[in-house]
Amino acid sequence: MILVAIVLAAGAVMMARSWISGQIADRAPDDAPEITTTTVVVAAAPLRFGNKLAREHVKIVEWPAALVPEGTFKTIDEVVSGEPRVVLQSIEPNEPILVTKITGPGQRASLSTIISAGMRAMTIRVNDVLGVAGFVLPNDRVDLLLTREIISNQPITDVLLQNIKVLGIDQKADQPDEGTADVVKAVTIEVTVEQAQKITLASTVGTLSLALRDVENVASEPTRTISLRDLNVSETNITPAPVIAELEDDDDAGALAPPPTPVPTPTAVITEPADEFGSIGITRGTARQEYRVNSTGQVMP
């Protein structure tokens, strides 16, 4: 009975596999293109800025030939042969190794290798507040704000530059492994020559601050100068205008309208003519007598 059960179970399995294969074949389109693959070198472990590539850091995987990214390697020897290469940007496991993310053979990992063509790297000094409490990381986008005084005790704030790429924080050009915020003292950004001139001049006349942008917000926005007068503008202190109901009848409108504010009548001021005479008082004993004297000193009756 056990042998019979085993034979029946094996037969059921074979029949089920045959039925499933037939269903898959029936559902597959007749004109389905054949997918061709090729080999691509990917990272076998997390790689960070400054890591030297070795054979144990990479591996070969099959990749659809039509979807191979530009700048990949097909063999491990292309990556690790000769002088060692150094990682310039973070590479996660199973991510293709691209020529733009590593140096050439024997080159060192420096900031100059990751600057875009025609751009410049410039460092500005920040603190825990001006640097967004350390949440600014390499490859983020920021706006530069300039706060200065145009006249005594009248500060203003302008948006100096928008959508500026961050190359590094302090002396780090790579994002940290953990999602922690490090308070830094300097931020290195990627700018043009003219933008570098503006930043240099702005740092001598005011204070520079950073404003972190979200990853999808890359468009420049219209801005205006903010002064002390704008600090009093708030949605909470705007008094709405009184609403006056429209009445169909003019007589009713006149009856319900508030009485006009009375205009005060100006009071006439009567100015008395100035006295042309002066007075002199003479006291004899306990008696005192007043005499009127004109401008020439004569006593008048």
Side-chain angles (χ1 to χ4, degrees), residues 167-267:
L167 296 177
I169 51 176
D170 279 347
Q171 295 182 351
K172 303 176 183 178
D174 195 14
Q175 296 184 357
D177 295 334
E178 301 179 357
T180 57
D182 297 331
V183 178
V184 298
K185 297 181 180 179
V187 174
T188 303
I189 56 179
E190 185 181 67
V191 294
T192 63
V193 176
E194 183 179 353
Q195 290 174 338
Q197 292 175 299
K198 291 181 179 179
I199 295 174
T200 303
L201 179 60
S203 62
T204 62
V205 299
T207 304
L208 293 175
S209 307
L210 300 181
L212 183 63
R213 302 172 69 101
D214 63 88
V215 294
E216 298 182 356
N217 184 13
V218 296
S220 298
E221 302 176 0
T223 61
R224 66 183 183 90
T225 300
I226 299 299
S227 62
L228 291 178
R229 293 181 301 176
D230 297 305
L231 300 182
N232 296 327
V233 178
S234 174
E235 296 180 357
T236 58
N237 61 13
I238 297 178
T239 304
V243 179
I244 300 177
E246 296 183 358
L247 301 177
E248 297 181 356
D249 192 355
D250 294 341
D251 296 337
D252 295 338
L256 298 178
T261 303
V263 178
T265 302
T267 304

Side-chain angles (χ1 to χ4, degrees), residues 38-43 53 58-63 68-81 85 91 95-105:
T38 185
T39 57
V40 172
V41 180
V42 300
L53 284 176
V58 294
K59 62 182 180 179
I60 292 290
V61 297
E62 293 292 329
W63 201 278
V68 175
E70 184 178 356
T72 57
F73 299 90
K74 294 184 178 181
T75 63
I76 295 179
D77 292 336
E78 294 179 359
V79 181
V80 299
S81 61
R85 298 172 182 262
I91 304 177
E95 181 180 349
I97 304 295
L98 303 178
V99 294
T100 57
K101 292 191 174 184
I102 59 176
T103 64

